[in-house]
Amino acid sequence: MKTSRRISWIIGVAAILATVVAFPGRLPGQTSAAKSSGATSGSPMSVQVDRVDPGESDLAYSFQVAIYENLIEELNKTKQFERVLREGDRDAGNVPNLLILRTTIEKYTPGDETRRAVTTVSGATKLTVRSQLFTSDGKIVLERTVNGEVRFFGSNLQATHNLARNIAKAIQQSTWSGSEQSSAMLGAQF
Amino acid sequence: MNRLFVRRNHRHPYFDGRALIGLCGLWFWFGLGGLAQSTASPVNASAPFSTRATHLLGLENTKSNCDGTLSLQGNELQFQQDGKPSVELEITSVRHIFLNEESKQVGGLPMTLGKAAAPYGAGRVVSLFAHKNYDILTLEYIGFDGGVHGVIFQLSKGQGDLVRNELVARGVSSSSGEDQRTKQSTAEVRRENK
């Protein structure tokens, strides 16, 4: 009696394990998310980087342009996307699985390189932005608040480089895998 | 009758002298005005212009933070890194110019290391004086693919205005450049007051 119970228990556990291994993407929490996506899974994604929206801040144009250019460079470095397009690119309409990256400045603290060099503890340039990845039909697949700053050495524009690197890293490190849409939707929930 | 006639005869040369002096004065005045006008607007749209600049970022096939010569020739803006072929972009593709000032530490990495190594915090004292104001010139242009590009140059103080004036004379819009400069200085003042 005891032996048959044990055998049936083992068979039950094995059946559950087999089900989980066979259908890894069909956990109840993920089903609806995967269905709500419009993009086709399995094909590589591309991204179009929009110009930086200064929001309410009085961020200098040089900083806005530097963030935009550094973002394009850093996203290309990650090799996560098949193509990294600029705003206004004529090819954007023909690229399948195109995502749009929008960056909005939330907070900007202007710094001073001389003050940093003299005092070490003050004069940091700090930037806080909201980064959003949209699908071409306007759905948000990833939203993050990212910081970039320069505290000790380097010019004020160095903050834009650090910020762009952090945004690219945040996109890469999220559960976003680039081609698996279910993972992308999981990333959006963070 | 005769006296009157004589008087009139005497007054004629007098009036001629005054008229001559007045004429000379007017001629001198207009000459000065013309000279002032020519110094106020030295920009000649067709004349080539060049200045030393540091490319901070944005130009394709060009390293960031590299020194070179920024020149405007005809309808092209060129940046030539020392000893390398120049990178060109059409001035008609430039949509906006923005100019702002920034204070930077001079001497680069060697100076920074030297200041860090200096004993008794002497490096900090050096930092207090080892800074210089630069013009930061930002251009926004449209590439061949229709995409928006940005490029940033660092120039000696005062040179940024000259380049901007040259570009404006060649038809580039600089609508918000002045606003930006004012805005920035206001922000800095606000920060200083805090």
Side-chain angles (χ1 to χ4, degrees), chain A residues 51 58 60-62 65-66 68-69 86-90 110 113-115 117-120 153 155-157, chain B residues 57 95 98 100 102 104-105 112 124 127 131 138 140 144-150 152 180 184 187 191-192:
Chain A
R51 277 182 299 173
D58 53 358
Y61 287 101
S62 54
V65 167
Y68 174 74
E69 287 293 328
R86 293 167 179 274
E87 183 180 324
D89 196 312
R90 285 187 215 98
E113 194 180 346
T114 302
R115 196 184 290 183
V118 173
T119 66
T120 311
F153 302 114
S155 68
N156 293 329
L157 275 177
Chain B
L57 59 91
R95 288 204 317 187
F98 307 109
N100 61 297
E102 197 157 316
K104 286 187 160 195
Q105 288 287 307
T112 307
R124 292 170 196 271
S127 297
H131 64 95
T138 309
E140 196 180 281
F144 294 113
D145 51 4
V148 176
H149 293 246
I152 305 177
Q180 179 66 26
Q184 260 211 316
R191 190 161 48 89
E192 288 299 320

Side-chain angles (χ1 to χ4, degrees), chain B residues 30-46:
Chain B
F30 281 118
L32 266 185
L35 195 70
Q37 212 171 21
S38 67
T39 50
S41 57
V43 176
N44 181 0
S46 59

Side-chain angles (χ1 to χ4, degrees), chain A residues 57-60 63 105-111 125-128:
Chain A
S57 71
D58 53 358
L59 185 68
F63 276 69
I105 305 293
E106 287 195 331
K107 197 179 168 192
Y108 166 57
T109 311
T125 303
K126 294 176 186 173
L127 281 161
T128 305

Side-chain angles (χ1 to χ4, degrees), chain B residues 22-34:
Chain B
L23 209 65
C24 283
L26 270 174
W27 177 69
F28 181 70
W29 183 254
F30 281 118
L32 266 185

